[in-house]
Amino acid sequence: MSFFKEPLVQFVVLGLALYVFINILAPDNLVQNDTNTIQVNDDRLVEYLQFQRKSFEPAKALQMLNKMPAGERDRLIDNYVRDEALYREALSYGLDDNDEIIRRRLIQKMEYIAQGFYDNVPALEEADLRAHFDKNIDQYKIDPSITFTHVFFPAENDDQQVVLRQAEQELSQLNRKKVDFSEAGKYGKRFLYNLNYVERTPAFVSSHFGQAFSQNIFTLKDLAQWQGPIRSEYGYHLVNIKSTSPARTPDLEEVAAKVLADTQREQHRDLKSAAIDKIVERYQRVSQQEKHISAPGSE
Amino acid sequence: MKKLILSILLISGFSVAIAQDVGADARSVEVSETTEATELTETTEPTQVLWGDTHLHTSYSFDAFLNQNQSADPDTAYRWAKGLPVIHPYSRARVQIETPLDFLVVSDHAELMGVIRAVANDTADIGSLGFLSDIKRWFTTRAILNAIENETGKGIFVKILPVTGEQPGSDPVKDPANELAVGAFGDTVKTETTAWHEIVDAAERHNQPGRFTSLVGWEWSSIPTGANLHRVVVSPDGGEKSKKYLPYGSDQSQYPEDLWSWFEQTNKDTGARFLSIPHNSNISKGYMFADTTLKGESITAAYAKQRMKWEPITEITQIKGDSETHPSLSPDDEFAGFENYPFYIQQTWEEYLPKKGDFVRSALRRGLEIEQNVGANPYKFGVIGSTDSHTGIASAEENNFWGKMAKDSTPETKLDGLVRDGGDSANGWHRAAQGLAAVWAKENTREEIFAAFQRKETYATTGPRMKVRFFAGWNFVEEDLQARDFVERAYQKGVPMGGDLIAPQQAENGPQFLIRVTKDPLEANLDRVQMIKGWVDAAGKSQEKIFNVAWSGERELSADGALPAVGNTVDAGVPTYNNSIGSGELSVMWADPEFDASQRAFYYVRALQIPTPRHSLYDAVALQQEATDVAPAVIQERAYTSPIWYAPQ
């Protein structure tokens, strides 16, 4: 029968058979496409309700849903169904195709997933921290600093020489009586800024006393006794130094917390870009330009 | 031992990111002596001054992003505040604060929080609006992206601003011209939630109790018909509580009463605590501190109490001008014409009309009058200053000022104003390089700073960090002022700024006020200290008077209490100034010669620096131009304290 050997006839018959099968014989669930059913249940409503309320506590939202008067619940369902229907309709129109925002969103989701790759990051060893610390040593340098107290003799309005002599006399008294650091506040006059200075840098000291004073005090060595008088912009000062610390590079242990945070940040960045590189590597890159260049050569 | 600490850090470090950057000013250190460890502190005073900015926007604010801040996020903001160099979002220059801050509130607009940023970066998670609206949104998005690309974002920003009301003086929310400009983006809740969580996480990362404090916050940006009713909301609570809610925006309600009710409810639901700080009352068209509620109802004791429960402090000075007072309201105040900013935030030009409801001093006076009538004062607030910078960079220094919007940060772009029909528009030279919030706190923590806000033990400066102590009491003696333990004595025998002076059973004399102002060690000397008094007279009307109480040099008060000017050392050609005039410290014990025990009153301190160059003068020199009429070449920076109130028995 050559008639049935005609491809066109075969095509028509098969099409007819398929039509009969789908429309007359097939079970409902094949015909009633899933995209036309909107499931409404507590799980979905709880999620929807949380976004509506701008509050993200599932337990509370469920409680609220259960207590909701029937009318209000119906409105919530209506809104949910409306949103879902519009969303699916948009998908069926293909509105998601070629949409830059959706494309970006998907890229962003992949980036999040790539970020997930470092949920099980290899634990950092002390050696990793040390390597990072050594490589970025400049970031961790510490300024010189000083901790001291002072006894103040104002000399803005009085005779400089008289005040200087007073200060010198007081100096020998303080040392003879072995006046302690913590007792400084009982001597001299009140200074307009601080009584004590704790681990302060030259820049800070010079903002309170003037540059000359700052240069002076950072050269003093003897920590055991009262020294001075040192001239500031405001008068004379007898100083008692508790400690000084030169400009230095700290030990790793001292700045471990910061180094750890920095190393982790770097590690995460590296892992993420490695994960993305891995994905990109699976694709072959074909450049328009290369085609043009290679085309003449192959002829 | 050190090894052990390191390994603990390695184990515990993974769950929390440890941000340990440069420490801030408040410090103490363990000094171990041979046997015992003692705490060594720089001051033995019961409170220390902490410096901060409660009002800073980042790229998460829609207007910041549209005005060329696309990169300075909350992390940038905290790094700048802590003293680290950061990249400026417009010029891409490396910038750094001169002296770090002690605390910071990142307060992005609640409305469209993070949305423009997400739309421009294509990371927005926004629901569908229906076919036509989606198309509209698509065009809006394109327009925004184009505008950002071409640096014309300001144009779009202006289009979403309000327009002049049709019924001035009545409830602006109900005005037919009042229209909310958000909504083009549809359901932005997911995007806003992501943004809020990122903002909260940044705050959590940077909070270092004792060294640097971050407080979470946002701005509720109600501006019906151009009447600025903006408030910054601040919470002392951490990430867990803060993530249980989303910031309440003016898209939910433009009435402050609704914001306060939301505080009440959210506090019940989540335990989170709040306060709101009104700002830019100067451009509120008389509504911020009006003699009625916003709805036009008369102010009751209940309203006054509710308002004061949530709004203990107000922002008196910032980049968009100073809100202390205006020359038309305080004609006898020679320093009133300071950084006035006569520009409403709206599309259409409207003549600026200063009103009593616009300024702090007139509000404090009005508060006394209302209290006289209804028994409670709705305007019994303290003050702070802040920047309201939208660059992520809290800069208030004249010679290191980085703009209100990212784009107005360079001498040339600062001069690009908005072009509007009908009148002048504001540009970067109209704006002021100010201010800062000063807080007297027991320690640098969220709890202590929030507590100081609530008891109003705060003051404002226009940028310099002068230290201002201000106490009132009935038993002070001259010796207290000079005593080494001045501060301890003052707390013991009196009340600090923000407090209430309660009349003793038998007050033979009036109260005394102890004031001590110390200059910023890195800044200009002080010119004078003034006491500003407001009171209600026998007729129930409020009055004000300014007393010069301490000043530098050998100047003499005239018969009417006026003090000659301090002089001016500014060399406008360089520009520079020197400290050959003025004082490093001014202090005084003062008694009110006109004290009347039967009159309700408030007293606050204003301290002025000697004249120094304004930020616009630095620009003019850089541009090799004359300083124009737009902005004075020289200003006198100042501090304002929270008042101390007196009420008769």
Side-chain angles (χ1 to χ4, degrees):
Chain A
M1 296 271 272
S2 64
F3 179 70
F4 283 104
K5 281 185 184 160
E6 280 294 315
L8 179 67
V9 175
Q10 288 177 350
F11 184 77
V12 168
V13 169
L14 272 174
L16 198 68
L18 203 61
Y19 177 82
V20 168
F21 174 74
I22 289 172
N23 281 291
I24 299 163
L25 305 172
D28 282 358
N29 59 357
L30 239 179
V31 178
Q32 274 214 342
N33 195 322
D34 221 2
T35 52
N36 287 343
T37 313
I38 293 174
Q39 294 274 354
V40 180
N41 58 39
D42 276 8
D43 283 353
R44 298 200 179 174
L45 288 179
V46 162
E47 197 189 330
Y48 187 69
L49 189 61
Q50 289 182 79
F51 278 108
Q52 283 218 319
R53 302 267 312 168
K54 302 187 182 187
S55 159
F56 296 88
E57 287 173 287
K60 221 175 134 189
L62 181 62
Q63 204 183 10
M64 189 181 286
L65 187 70
N66 289 337
K67 276 199 219 148
M68 206 175 262
E72 208 174 308
R73 191 187 163 98
D74 287 347
R75 265 198 304 283
L76 183 78
I77 293 173
D78 285 350
N79 285 336
Y80 170 72
V81 169
R82 176 186 169 281
D83 282 2
E84 191 62 25
L86 285 177
Y87 170 68
R88 294 202 197 159
E89 203 67 4
L91 287 184
S92 73
Y93 288 148
L95 293 185
D96 52 333
D97 287 347
N98 291 321
D99 183 311
E100 183 61 17
I101 291 179
I102 290 169
R103 183 170 170 269
R104 279 281 143 199
R105 177 67 183 152
L106 293 177
I107 293 168
Q108 189 203 26
K109 281 186 169 170
M110 277 312 287
E111 283 175 341
Y112 272 125
I113 293 170
Q115 208 156 313
F117 292 163
Y118 62 68
D119 275 349
N120 304 311
V121 281
L124 286 171
E125 302 288 331
E126 195 175 327
D128 299 317
L129 267 61
R130 190 160 297 282
H132 180 92
F133 178 68
D134 289 343
K135 205 172 90 193
N136 301 288
I137 198 86
D138 280 351
Q139 286 179 21
Y140 301 105
K141 283 202 171 132
I142 294 174
D143 282 338
S145 67
I146 188 165
T147 299
F148 70 96
T149 188
H150 64 127
V151 171
F152 174 53
F153 300 85
E156 275 176 310
N157 305 315
D158 302 305
D159 185 319
Q160 303 287 315
Q161 289 310 311
V162 174
V163 176
L164 179 60
R165 262 199 305 283
Q166 266 176 5
E168 281 164 351
Q169 275 164 17
E170 187 77 299
L171 176 68
S172 50
Q173 289 287 319
L174 292 175
N175 279 327
R176 198 172 49 79
K177 289 194 278 186
K178 294 198 167 27
V179 170
D180 187 62
F181 188 101
S182 60
E183 307 280 292
K186 294 177 184 162
Y187 298 87
K189 290 277 172 16
R190 189 183 58 81
F191 181 57
L192 80 168
Y193 302 122
N194 302 354
L195 173 63
N196 301 333
Y197 288 81
V198 179
E199 292 181 355
R200 290 300 189 178
T201 62
F204 188 92
V205 173
S206 99
S207 75
H208 284 212
F209 296 88
Q211 190 144 22
F213 178 97
S214 176
Q215 275 169 2
N216 238 316
I217 195 168
F218 272 91
T219 61
L220 296 182
K221 292 278 176 276
D222 187 359
L223 303 190
Q225 48 179 334
W226 288 89
Q227 304 176 75
I230 310 180
R231 184 82 172 107
S232 77
E233 285 174 7
Y234 303 96
Y236 291 96
H237 305 257
L238 303 175
V239 300
N240 188 320
I241 300 171
K242 186 126 237 160
S243 62
T244 58
S245 161
R248 66 196 174 88
T249 308
D251 291 336
L252 172 59
E253 284 78 1
E254 269 180 274
V255 286
K258 186 164 160 49
V259 177
L260 175 64
D262 293 349
T263 316
Q264 271 182 331
R265 210 165 27 233
E266 200 177 79
Q267 183 194 29
H268 289 184
R269 201 184 55 210
D270 292 351
L271 286 169
K272 184 175 168 182
S273 77
I276 290 172
D277 285 350
K278 229 178 194 166
I279 295 169
V280 175
E281 271 168 25
R282 294 213 305 270
Y283 292 81
Q284 207 178 359
R285 185 183 309 228
V286 181
S287 158
Q288 288 287 349
Q289 247 180 353
E290 277 169 25
K291 261 194 197 160
H292 279 296
I293 293 164
S294 61
S298 63
E299 271 171 12
Chain B
M1 175 66 178
K2 277 181 177 173
K3 278 273 147 61
L4 181 65
I5 292 170
L6 185 58
S7 47
I8 290 169
L9 277 170
L10 280 172
I11 295 161
S12 63
F14 288 101
S15 50
V16 262
I18 300 162
Q20 195 202 36
D21 299 326
V22 178
D25 214 30
R27 52 178 55 204
S28 61
V29 74
E30 289 273 307
V31 176
S32 34
E33 309 212 327
T34 41
T35 49
E36 73 215 42
T38 52
E39 181 91 344
L40 178 59
T41 55
E42 297 206 317
T43 168
T44 52
E45 294 172 359
T47 53
Q48 51 175 324
V49 65
L50 300 176
W51 294 98
D53 187 349
T54 62
H55 190 178
L56 181 73
H57 296 266
T58 72
S59 56
Y60 285 69
S61 287
F62 69 98
D63 49 348
F65 200 93
L66 286 173
N67 289 282
Q68 303 304 315
N69 175 5
Q70 279 122 46
S71 65
D73 57 8
D75 214 42
T76 313
Y78 288 117
R79 290 173 65 85
W80 161 275
K82 289 175 164 187
L84 294 166
V86 300
I87 303 283
H88 190 278
Y90 180 69
S91 66
R92 312 305 297 169
R94 170 170 53 73
V95 293
Q96 191 170 12
I97 197 171
E98 170 110 39
T99 309
L101 296 177
D102 300 311
F103 67 92
L104 179 69
V105 183
V106 167
S107 56
D108 283 303
H109 291 290
E111 302 79 12
L112 294 178
M113 181 178 267
V115 171
I116 301 287
R117 180 177 179 274
V119 166
N121 293 338
D122 289 333
T123 57
D125 195 339
I126 35 193
S128 175
L129 291 168
F131 189 62
L132 278 176
S133 299
D134 277 349
I135 289 175
K136 187 175 156 199
R137 177 164 75 197
W138 187 86
F139 278 109
T140 312
T141 308
R142 292 299 113 175
I144 287 174
L145 293 178
N146 272 332
I148 289 166
E149 189 114 320
N150 304 326
E151 297 193 7
T152 53
K154 199 182 263 173
I156 291 191
F157 171 55
V158 171
K159 280 191 200 127
I160 57 179
L161 293 180
V163 295
T164 304
E166 292 171 15
Q167 298 157 356
S170 60
D171 180 351
V173 178
K174 297 232 170 76
D175 195 292
N178 182 36
E179 203 181 325
L180 271 183
V182 291
F185 294 100
D187 186 359
T188 49
V189 172
K190 271 191 187 176
T191 312
E192 286 169 354
T193 306
T194 308
W196 174 240
H197 289 187
E198 285 168 1
I199 289 167
V200 170
D201 287 342
E204 292 291 273
R205 271 200 306 280
H206 285 277
N207 191 46
Q208 296 166 269
R211 294 180 81 78
F212 180 87
T213 296
S214 59
L215 291 134
V216 300
W218 71 90
E219 181 166 344
W220 175 80
S221 326
S222 171
I223 187 159
T225 68
N228 181 82
L229 299 170
H230 289 187
R231 265 98 168 157
V232 165
V233 179
V234 179
S235 170
D237 293 302
E240 199 187 322
K241 280 181 187 164
S242 304
K243 285 185 184 176
K244 286 185 179 161
Y245 60 83
L246 266 190
Y248 188 84
S250 65
D251 45 347
Q252 283 155 288
S253 168
Q254 291 181 294
Y255 290 108
E257 294 92 322
D258 292 336
L259 175 68
W260 304 328
S261 304
W262 182 87
F263 289 162
E264 197 86 55
Q265 187 60 44
T266 309
N267 175 263
K268 269 194 205 122
D269 292 350
T270 68
R273 294 159 293 168
F274 304 97
L275 57 80
S276 51
I277 309 174
H279 72 85
N280 276 121
S281 58
N282 57 335
I283 45 174
S284 74
K285 303 188 179 180
Y287 287 106
M288 188 69 91
F289 308 123
D291 52 6
T292 65
T293 70
L294 190 59
K295 291 173 181 161
E297 296 154 350
S298 46
I299 289 177
T300 60
Y303 173 90
K305 282 176 187 153
Q306 187 194 25
R307 182 163 177 142
M308 283 304 95
K309 177 179 177 188
W310 300 112
E311 301 196 338
I313 50 175
T314 207
E315 189 186 292
I316 193 172
T317 197
Q318 66 132 281
I319 291 175
K320 285 199 306 300
D322 199 88
S323 296
E324 187 210 5
T325 188
H326 190 276
S328 65
L329 298 170
S330 303
D332 297 334
D333 183 351
E334 59 184 306
F335 298 102
F338 175 74
E339 298 290 4
N340 295 137
Y341 187 81
F343 306 101
Y344 297 119
I345 307 175
Q346 58 190 36
Q347 288 183 40
T348 42
W349 184 81
E350 181 179 337
E351 191 188 356
Y352 181 74
L353 290 172
K355 299 203 169 96
K356 281 187 191 169
D358 292 337
F359 290 89
V360 164
R361 193 188 298 168
S362 41
L364 292 170
R365 285 175 54 177
R366 182 170 264 172
L368 295 182
E369 290 172 351
I370 293 173
E371 186 175 23
Q372 190 104 317
N373 292 330
V374 307
N377 182 345
Y379 304 127
K380 194 176 173 185
F381 48 70
V383 295
I384 50 108
S386 277
T387 65
D388 193 7
S389 160
H390 281 53
T391 58
I393 291 168
S395 65
E397 300 148 321
E398 300 296 328
N399 62 353
N400 193 27
F401 176 54
W402 292 103
K404 147 95 181 159
M405 292 298 180
K407 207 182 164 185
D408 33 66
S409 58
T410 75
E412 283 149 335
T413 51
K414 256 187 196 177
L415 291 169
D416 298 344
L418 295 176
V419 180
R420 277 190 290 203
D421 296 334
D424 273 351
S425 67
N427 68 35
W429 280 19
H430 291 106
R431 296 195 248 271
Q434 55 196 33
L436 286 180
V439 170
W440 288 111
K442 295 188 184 78
E443 57 185 25
N444 188 357
T445 59
R446 288 173 169 172
E447 289 298 328
E448 287 301 329
I449 291 172
F450 195 75
F453 286 159
Q454 284 180 316
R455 63 173 191 270
K456 308 165 204 166
E457 203 176 345
T458 61
Y459 64 101
T461 84
T462 56
R465 302 187 191 185
M466 51 275 249
K467 211 172 183 178
V468 186
R469 288 285 191 187
F470 173 39
F471 296 91
W474 302 94
N475 303 306
F476 290 137
V477 289
E478 202 62 50
E479 184 210 327
D480 292 333
L481 189 64
Q482 292 314 320
R484 294 296 280 262
D485 59 348
F486 155 71
V487 179
E488 287 85 343
R489 289 186 191 199
Y491 274 113
Q492 242 165 43
K493 297 202 272 184
V495 294
M497 57 181 72
D500 285 292
L501 195 52
I502 294 158
Q505 290 297 336
Q506 300 147 324
E508 283 168 21
N509 303 312
Q512 304 93 33
F513 297 89
L514 293 182
I515 307 164
R516 178 186 288 158
V517 185
T518 312
K519 76 181 268 266
D520 179 336
L522 295 169
E523 271 270 354
N525 276 346
L526 304 168
D527 164 14
R528 68 183 72 194
V529 175
Q530 299 180 307
M531 180 68 86
I532 297 179
K533 178 189 180 185
W535 73 95
V536 182
D537 65 17
K541 270 192 67 80
S542 71
Q543 308 290 341
E544 68 180 59
K545 184 164 180 179
I546 299 167
F547 300 88
N548 288 301
V549 298
W551 54 90
S552 69
E554 304 292 308
R555 290 175 280 168
E556 300 254 329
L557 288 187
S558 70
D560 63 349
L563 184 68
V566 69
N568 182 7
T569 66
V570 171
D571 177 349
V574 178
T576 184
Y577 69 93
N578 65 63
N579 277 334
S580 58
I581 56 170
S583 286
E585 183 174 283
L586 293 172
S587 54
V588 66
M589 185 176 97
W590 183 78
D592 177 4
E594 298 167 13
F595 182 73
D596 181 337
S598 69
Q599 289 172 343
R600 245 169 243 289
F602 65 80
Y603 297 85
Y604 70 89
V605 168
R606 181 169 72 183
L608 278 80
Q609 274 192 349
I610 62 169
T612 50
R614 193 177 184 270
H615 70 93
S616 45
L617 181 59
Y618 291 95
D619 292 329
V621 172
L623 293 166
Q624 303 187 44
Q625 286 180 4
E626 293 286 310
T628 63
D629 293 346
V630 161
V634 165
I635 51 169
Q636 281 190 270
E637 305 258 23
R638 53 200 67 195
Y640 309 111
T641 70
S642 291
I644 292 174
W645 286 266
Y646 167 78
Q649 284 269 338

